[in-house]
Amino acid sequence: SCFLRHARSRNYASESEVCKLESVPLDFGDYHPLKPITVTESKTKKMNRKGSTSSTSSSSSSSMMDPLSSVLDGTDPLSLFAAAADPVTTTAAMDGTRRKRDKDDSSAVGIDFEPWSSKRGEILARYTTTEKLSIVSGSFFRKATNTGSAVSEKVRTRLEELDDLEEGSQKELLNLTQQDYMNRIEELNQSLKDAWSSDQKVKALKIVIQCSKLLSDTTVIQFYPSKFVLITDILDTFGKLVYERILSMCADNRVSLPDNFSPENVNDTAKETCLNWFFKIASIRELIPRFYVEAAILKCNKFLSKTGILECLPRLTSMIRGIGDPLVAVYSRAYLCRVGMEVAPQLKESLNKNFFDFLLMFKQIHGDTVQNQLVGQHVEMPLYLTLYSPAIDWILQCIAYHAPEVLLTEMMERCKKLGNNALLLNSVMSAFRAEFIAARSMDFIAMIKECDESGFPKHLLFRSLGLNLALADPPENDCLQILNEAWKVITKLKNPQDYINCAEVWVEYTCRHFTKREVNTVLADVIKHMTPDRAFEDAYPQLQSIIQKVITYIYDFSLLFSVEKFLPFLDMFQKENVRVEVCKCIMESFIKHQQESTKDPVILNALLHICKTMHDSVNALTLEDEKRILAALINGFIKMVSFGRDFEQQLSFYVEARSMFCNLEPVLVQLIHSVNQLAMETRKVMKGNHSRKTAAFVRACVAFCFITIPSLSSIFTRLNLYLHSGQVALANQCISQADAFFKAAVSLVPEVPKMISVDGKMRPSDAFLLEFLCNFFSTLLVVPDHPEQGVLFLVRGLLNVIQDYTWEDNSDDKVRIYTNVLHLLSAMTQEAYIYHVDKVDSNDALYGGDSKFLAEISKLCETVIAQILDHLKSLGKEESLKRQSQLALYFFNTIVAHGDLRNNKLNQLSVSLWNLAQKHGFADTKTMVKTLEYIKRQSQQPEMSHFTDLALRLPLQSRT
């Protein structure tokens, strides 16, 4: 019992003063740690291959030396490796990199030009079919093989293959589904690459010709745009392979051609090969494959003459006039524009000629041949016309790119003069700049009105106009008239899918330019159209988009919820997962935009309803991540609710929230924290002097926490909340309630499992328990004893629980906890404790240093020390000697810090522990030396002179 009967009496104030860091005035001069660092650039004037001599000159006026340069003596190791490498290879590699970079930089088409690749996916998704397709299959589906025959044999074989190409050696594969067809096309693409890599160039050409022929087939007409996308991918691959092959032939001595080379730089072999390709293609008998394959290698004209491309484009444009089917012809024009924009975007005249050619044959679309074809395939005219959109949109986009307004106006006028021009009008609105369209909105509305009802669907025209008006504003005076004219047409649409596709676009225009009244009218109209026959079930994506647009523009939630039809609109989302997504969207917007806390009953009721919807979607199958997201959104809402000084109303809100969100643990945790915060705010308002009313209110807050905590599943969450809530109760002078929290925490400790889940992984719980108990001991110092429960009843209860807890065999946490208990008991013997809770008398005031109280502490201490020493003895086996050494030193430090070493028994115990720590050579010499130095320093303090004798009795043993 020697330890605490003679615990060192502490003067905390003077100790704190001694431990303070000495303040020394510092003159920083120019230096300041937050100033930006000046980097010194070192230029190497001369570099020897061996790196023996190098002199550097600094380009910075700063005197700071770059540490990396100084270590490397001005030479960069990577540069040395590069210099040591083969100079020719290096030059070629660098040349290639530079060429690629130059190509990217000098690209004439800017990033504001939407590339074909971004449209590809949309076309494939939109133009599909359930009908069976056919494809002509030749020998090229077999894997390519190498031929090593003599030259004459090779020539004969190639001539035969080219003849084969034109004759009927292919067989037709019928009854393919769309997916089978796409797989076949992909196989052809792979066959092309295989044939090329195995040097079978004629076979590669054969594949490309066969693929191009497929573009003349319109038997399943609604799939044609997708077929065009798939086939032209193969043509692009072929064009690239041919260009790269000829380019590689131009490299003299491994040095590639510069990116802006002229035909004079190209050697004769490369030119001959290039001409050979064009001659081969010119010998293709059928127009469509000949056109497509030549267009694919258009870029190769650069090897032959400077004006090659300029001469070819008009010729290819004229060739298209020979294609009879208007759909096939328009896609050929689109491909020519695509290649032209890639190869020579500056040659706009050819692209314009291409478009004006198309206008001349436009009336063919409504001719008898086409009508008969549509009757045969059971395709309606409006559907047929939409097949043209991707091609015409692309042609117009290419022409309109950076085009002067004069040209755009001329094209618009030309389209006006044509009859049945709805298809063109739609493409003009899709391709031209949004600002151009928006400025002439009323003109476009007039043109749309004049369009023939039986042709291209009118609602699609209004949709295209709406998309432009979402990006650019029309003249202010026209805004209302535009909305009225558009909505007159939209509201008359009978087909719910057509209606919602249009309405979705125009909602954004309405939100941008009008008040909540107009938005409310539009939402009411959508509800009216989409409710009959539960049409909304097929339009969830569009309805979601409408909600997204509304909350993007109306993010003041008091205004949003005063839109009468907003909540009825939400009722259309009856599929649970969609409904929850919409609710999440609204809550994210609220948390992002709501700057100040709110008590608006309209907002609270609406958002409680939305949060309840999210909460009620949680079931046994809900993923943890999803629960976490929902809980975070609900918590964000709870934190934004404040009734100001009306604390009772605030508590009522938390009680209601608890009943609504009982299945989401993080929300309950947040509510407990919020109620604890409410109790502390009440204390702050009352400056710690509670009236009868506020005392009763604080007890109500404490009761809320006490009955909510047991419903949580995570044991450490419960333990920490019991401790935290107990501290809040104590701060508010609710001492019996605080005792109840602490007792609950003590009784919960035995239930702590050995392993707990942390971030989805199982971890030992010992470290978490140790941390919790250390926090608990710190609180127990200021908790006054209950008059009927005996001295230190909470500490005793906790020690009993720790004693009975089953610790891991290889764990020393129990001893570490006991050592921390000694810190607590030492602090409890002081005349005045190190900290107090305002207006709560701790045991130092209650007992006033009574000898019986100190004797009780002494007995407790005896028990604890006995437990620690027993454990140290049990570690005497060879495999646990290192642990014994560490614990002995840990306990020694506790005695030095908290014990009165003038007591002989205690002094002797500390020396024994010191020797035990070093006994088997496991002690860290540095630590032992530093500990001894600390004791010698302490001996210089006025009341610590006895440390001098102690230091003499503590030998330092070498490891040997």
Side-chain angles (χ1 to χ4, degrees):
S1 67
C2 51
F3 175 66
L4 275 166
R5 193 172 299 144
H6 300 286
R8 183 157 74 83
S9 60
R10 312 281 289 271
N11 183 337
Y12 292 118
S14 63
E15 280 184 42
S16 172
E17 205 58 44
V18 169
C19 293
K20 270 187 185 169
L21 291 173
E22 190 182 351
S23 58
V24 181
L26 280 177
D27 180 20
F28 281 107
D30 284 343
Y31 168 75
H32 188 278
L34 298 182
K35 255 191 177 180
I37 296 169
T38 311
V39 177
T40 318
E41 185 189 340
S42 297
K43 291 181 183 169
T44 306
K45 285 180 181 170
K46 178 181 176 186
M47 189 176 84
N48 193 319
R49 187 79 172 262
K50 292 174 187 169
S52 57
T53 58
S54 69
S55 60
T56 60
S57 72
S58 172
S59 66
S60 167
S61 59
S62 164
S63 60
M64 285 175 63
M65 184 61 191
D66 172 7
L68 297 178
S69 300
S70 62
V71 172
L72 297 168
D73 193 25
T75 59
D76 164 18
L78 296 179
S79 305
L80 286 173
F81 285 134
D86 176 12
V88 177
T89 318
T90 310
T91 311
M94 284 171 71
D95 203 47
T97 312
R98 181 176 54 74
R99 192 172 71 249
K100 189 173 181 218
R101 190 180 63 242
D102 291 350
K103 187 176 176 184
D104 293 342
D105 292 350
S106 66
S107 175
V109 177
I111 51 168
D112 55 340
F113 183 79
E114 189 185 353
W116 174 259
S117 53
S118 68
K119 298 178 181 291
R120 190 180 172 282
E122 190 190 330
I123 296 171
L124 288 173
R126 184 176 168 194
Y127 298 97
T128 57
T129 182
T130 50
E131 290 186 38
K132 298 297 180 187
L133 301 153
S134 63
I135 191 169
V136 175
S137 158
S139 57
F140 39 74
F141 274 122
R142 294 194 300 273
K143 192 158 177 64
T145 53
N146 265 316
T147 54
S149 53
V151 176
S152 58
E153 189 67 27
K154 208 171 186 178
V155 170
R156 190 164 70 250
T157 312
R158 284 192 172 183
L159 288 169
E160 283 170 6
E161 279 184 340
L162 274 173
D163 283 342
D164 252 7
L165 204 61
E166 300 289 330
E167 307 307 326
S169 69
Q170 294 85 21
K171 66 171 187 281
E172 196 170 9
L173 298 176
L174 301 167
N175 294 332
L176 299 175
T177 64
Q178 182 181 321
Q179 191 54 51
D180 292 339
Y181 189 90
M182 290 168 82
N183 293 343
R184 284 284 172 178
I185 297 287
E186 186 46 49
E187 280 176 37
L188 280 170
N189 204 351
Q190 195 52 50
S191 299
L192 167 66
K193 289 174 187 171
D194 292 344
W196 192 272
S197 60
S198 58
D199 207 28
Q200 295 188 50
K201 303 294 187 289
V202 171
K203 184 172 181 180
L205 179 60
K206 190 175 175 180
I207 292 170
V208 175
I209 294 170
Q210 207 56 54
C211 289
S212 307
K213 280 185 179 179
L214 295 172
L215 288 172
S216 59
D217 170 32
T218 54
T219 44
V220 182
I221 204 159
Q222 60 269 45
F223 183 63
Y224 192 84
S226 290
K227 185 201 284 189
F228 171 79
V229 167
L230 297 168
I231 303 288
T232 52
D233 281 352
I234 296 177
L235 288 163
D236 290 344
T237 304
F238 176 71
K240 201 171 166 190
L241 290 170
V242 173
Y243 183 82
E244 284 172 0
R245 164 90 179 121
I246 298 170
L247 189 67
S248 68
M249 295 171 79
C250 300
D252 291 324
N253 301 325
R254 292 189 179 178
V255 178
S256 303
L257 282 178
D259 203 46
N260 52 349
F261 67 88
S262 65
E264 291 78 52
N265 304 126
V266 180
N267 59 42
D268 292 344
T269 317
K271 279 184 177 174
E272 193 179 334
T273 307
C274 186
L275 273 170
N276 190 21
W277 275 111
F278 280 112
F279 291 152
K280 271 182 193 167
I281 291 163
S283 67
I284 299 170
R285 273 179 260 174
E286 289 184 34
L287 171 63
I288 288 174
R290 185 166 75 249
F291 163 79
Y292 271 108
V293 181
E294 185 175 349
I297 67 161
L298 182 67
K299 193 177 179 181
C300 294
N301 278 288
K302 284 171 72 176
F303 297 111
L304 300 174
S305 77
K306 282 183 180 175
T307 56
I309 294 173
L310 181 63
E311 290 161 8
C312 265
L313 276 172
R315 183 171 54 77
L316 288 170
T317 305
S318 303
M319 275 171 77
I320 299 171
R321 293 177 185 172
I323 299 173
D325 189 312
L327 185 66
V328 177
V330 81
Y331 275 94
S332 306
R333 295 183 191 284
Y335 187 65
L336 190 58
C337 282
R338 190 166 125 197
V339 176
M341 281 303 277
E342 216 173 283
V343 175
Q346 69 281 6
L347 301 177
K348 278 289 184 67
E349 293 76 21
S350 299
L351 299 182
N352 298 351
K353 181 173 183 286
N354 193 358
F355 178 66
F356 293 134
D357 259 16
F358 164 68
L359 292 183
L360 291 173
M361 53 69 65
F362 183 71
K363 54 182 179 290
Q364 271 185 287
I365 294 174
H366 300 276
D368 293 344
T369 316
V370 169
Q371 295 290 354
N372 296 339
Q373 187 186 9
L374 297 184
V375 170
Q377 292 201 35
H378 308 293
V379 173
E380 298 289 326
M381 193 62 177
L383 172 64
Y384 174 69
L385 289 176
T386 59
L387 301 177
Y388 283 82
S389 291
I392 303 174
D393 288 359
W394 178 257
I395 296 168
L396 284 169
Q397 182 189 320
C398 294
I399 295 170
Y401 182 64
H402 289 180
E405 245 180 60
V406 184
L407 177 64
L408 299 185
T409 313
E410 185 200 340
M411 289 169 69
M412 189 174 142
E413 290 304 322
R414 284 225 190 175
C415 295
K416 244 188 204 176
K417 286 173 189 166
L418 286 171
N420 296 320
N421 63 357
L423 169 63
L424 282 173
L425 200 54
N426 188 61
S427 290
V428 164
M429 289 190 287
S430 301
F432 284 16
R433 290 189 290 277
E435 294 77 14
F436 179 88
I437 306 293
R440 298 162 179 74
S441 300
M442 292 308 296
D443 294 348
F444 277 97
I445 284 177
M447 285 191 275
I448 293 170
K449 278 178 162 179
E450 287 170 20
C451 288
D452 182 12
E453 289 289 340
S454 62
F456 192 88
K458 228 176 223 190
H459 65 89
L460 290 183
L461 296 172
F462 273 107
R463 187 174 192 278
S464 298
L465 179 61
L467 286 169
N468 281 291
L469 294 177
L471 298 170
D473 297 334
E476 205 172 317
N477 300 336
D478 295 343
C479 281
L480 186 59
Q481 196 182 347
I482 290 168
L483 181 62
N484 287 335
E485 291 290 350
W487 209 261
K488 255 188 238 169
V489 175
I490 295 167
T491 197
K492 285 178 187 164
L493 291 170
K494 297 281 184 283
N495 182 323
Q497 208 57 42
D498 292 346
Y499 170 83
I500 197 66
N501 284 336
C502 254
E504 173 207 350
V505 171
W506 282 88
V507 163
E508 184 163 0
Y509 174 76
T510 313
C511 293
R512 267 170 77 111
H513 298 286
F514 299 99
T515 62
K516 69 169 192 175
R517 183 170 145 264
E518 287 80 7
V519 173
N520 193 52
T521 308
V522 169
L523 292 183
D525 197 59
V526 174
I527 294 169
K528 184 177 131 193
H529 276 79
M530 300 310 289
T531 311
D533 302 326
R534 299 176 71 82
F536 53 76
E537 288 181 346
D538 299 321
Y540 284 137
Q542 293 92 329
L543 294 173
Q544 269 179 280
S545 170
I546 289 174
I547 286 284
Q548 187 68 60
K549 284 165 182 167
V550 170
I551 59 178
T552 301
Y553 288 97
I554 309 178
Y555 45 77
D556 174 353
F557 274 70
S558 53
L559 184 64
L560 180 67
F561 290 126
S562 66
V563 174
E564 196 185 322
K565 293 295 178 183
F566 183 73
L567 289 175
F569 191 93
L570 288 185
D571 292 337
M572 285 198 290
F573 295 98
Q574 295 192 3
K575 190 177 178 187
E576 190 180 59
N577 61 336
V578 182
R579 193 180 177 89
V580 171
E581 280 306 312
V582 171
C583 291
K584 278 160 71 175
C585 229
I586 295 169
M587 291 313 299
E588 280 164 10
S589 175
F590 175 77
I591 290 165
K592 182 180 174 186
H593 293 113
Q594 189 72 21
Q595 301 295 321
E596 296 169 358
S597 50
T598 181
K599 60 176 181 178
D600 183 334
V602 176
I603 294 180
L604 295 193
N605 288 332
L607 290 185
L608 274 173
H609 168 69
I610 286 167
C611 289
K612 179 81 174 129
T613 303
M614 295 196 302
H615 168 270
D616 292 350
S617 70
V618 174
N619 56 37
L621 300 176
T622 308
L623 297 172
E624 285 304 316
D625 273 356
E626 178 68 6
K627 285 185 192 173
R628 213 175 1 257
I629 290 165
L630 296 178
L633 292 172
I634 295 172
N635 284 345
F637 163 59
I638 288 169
K639 288 179 197 168
M640 291 306 296
V641 176
S642 170
F643 291 90
R645 283 288 183 88
D646 190 348
F647 290 164
E648 288 181 355
Q649 183 70 37
Q650 188 83 33
L651 183 60
S652 301
F653 169 76
Y654 291 143
V655 171
E656 186 185 355
R658 180 179 62 187
S659 66
M660 291 175 88
F661 309 126
C662 53
N663 288 338
L664 285 171
E665 195 158 302
V667 179
L668 294 179
V669 172
Q670 177 59 47
L671 288 170
I672 292 165
H673 283 309
S674 297
V675 171
N676 277 329
Q677 191 179 351
L678 190 60
M680 293 308 285
E681 277 177 29
T682 310
R683 177 180 182 271
K684 188 178 172 186
V685 168
M686 300 304 292
K687 297 185 175 138
N689 300 309
H690 283 301
S691 64
R692 178 181 280 181
K693 187 178 177 184
T694 59
F697 173 74
V698 165
R699 283 197 292 275
C701 290
V702 168
F704 175 98
C705 297
F706 193 73
I707 60 174
T708 310
I709 293 171
S711 62
L712 304 174
S713 61
S714 165
I715 194 152
F716 278 103
T717 304
R718 273 185 283 162
L719 281 171
N720 286 313
L721 285 173
Y722 273 134
L723 178 56
H724 183 225
S725 303
Q727 290 165 345
V728 170
L730 202 58
N732 283 287
Q733 299 129 52
C734 303
I735 295 170
S736 58
Q737 284 86 347
D739 278 351
F741 278 116
F742 298 141
K743 279 182 192 168
V746 170
S747 61
L748 193 58
V749 170
E751 293 177 29
V752 174
K754 294 286 163 288
M755 305 292 283
I756 56 166
S757 174
V758 179
D759 296 332
K761 292 179 182 173
M762 297 308 287
R763 308 247 188 239
S765 63
D766 293 5
F768 295 96
L769 185 56
L770 179 62
E771 183 190 356
F772 167 74
L773 289 172
C774 290
N775 284 340
F776 200 0
F777 295 144
S778 304
T779 304
L780 289 180
L781 175 64
V782 291
V783 178
D785 278 346
H786 194 285
E788 294 168 14
Q789 301 275 5
V791 178
L792 303 181
F793 74 104
L794 282 171
V795 178
R796 288 174 192 280
L798 193 51
L799 282 172
N800 290 336
V801 165
I802 293 165
Q803 175 63 31
D804 296 339
Y805 188 79
T806 316
W807 299 90
E808 293 290 329
D809 294 338
N810 59 350
S811 166
D812 298 320
D813 286 330
K814 188 175 180 180
V815 174
R816 294 184 187 280
I817 290 167
Y818 280 146
T819 315
N820 280 303
V821 171
L822 292 179
H823 301 170
L824 168 65
L825 295 174
S826 167
M828 281 182 159
T829 61
Q830 305 303 320
E831 278 183 36
Y833 290 172
I834 188 168
Y835 48 80
H836 293 89
V837 175
D838 191 31
K839 299 190 173 53
V840 175
D841 289 333
S842 297
N843 286 341
D844 56 344
L846 291 182
Y847 292 109
D850 181 69
S851 56
K852 286 181 183 173
F853 174 64
L854 295 177
E856 285 292 333
I857 291 178
S858 186
K859 275 186 203 167
L860 261 182
C861 170
E862 234 172 79
T863 314
V864 172
I865 287 179
Q867 291 278 350
I868 294 173
L869 294 175
D870 284 350
H871 187 81
L872 282 171
K873 279 179 197 166
S874 72
L875 296 176
K877 293 172 190 162
E878 195 172 331
E879 65 274 9
S880 52
L881 289 175
K882 187 174 183 181
R883 282 164 56 204
Q884 186 190 53
S885 166
Q886 289 169 342
L887 283 180
L889 185 60
Y890 186 60
F891 188 25
F892 171 82
N893 287 333
T894 293
I895 293 175
V896 170
H898 297 278
D900 186 349
L901 288 168
R902 283 175 289 209
N903 177 305
N904 287 333
K905 283 186 182 175
L906 202 53
N907 205 310
Q908 186 52 50
L909 176 59
S910 63
V911 173
S912 304
L913 289 167
W914 177 267
N915 292 331
L916 181 61
Q918 299 186 98
K919 189 174 179 181
H920 299 286
F922 284 108
D924 178 42
T925 313
K926 277 186 188 173
T927 308
M928 302 304 279
V929 169
K930 282 184 179 176
T931 307
L932 195 53
E933 282 172 6
Y934 166 77
I935 292 168
K936 286 176 181 172
R937 264 200 318 278
Q938 286 295 94
S939 68
Q940 293 161 16
Q941 303 287 337
E943 294 172 11
M944 310 288 272
S945 54
H946 55 285
F947 270 38
T948 312
D949 297 333
L950 177 65
L952 295 171
R953 297 176 62 200
L954 301 177
L956 275 174
Q957 293 176 10
S958 67
R959 288 205 167 205
T960 52

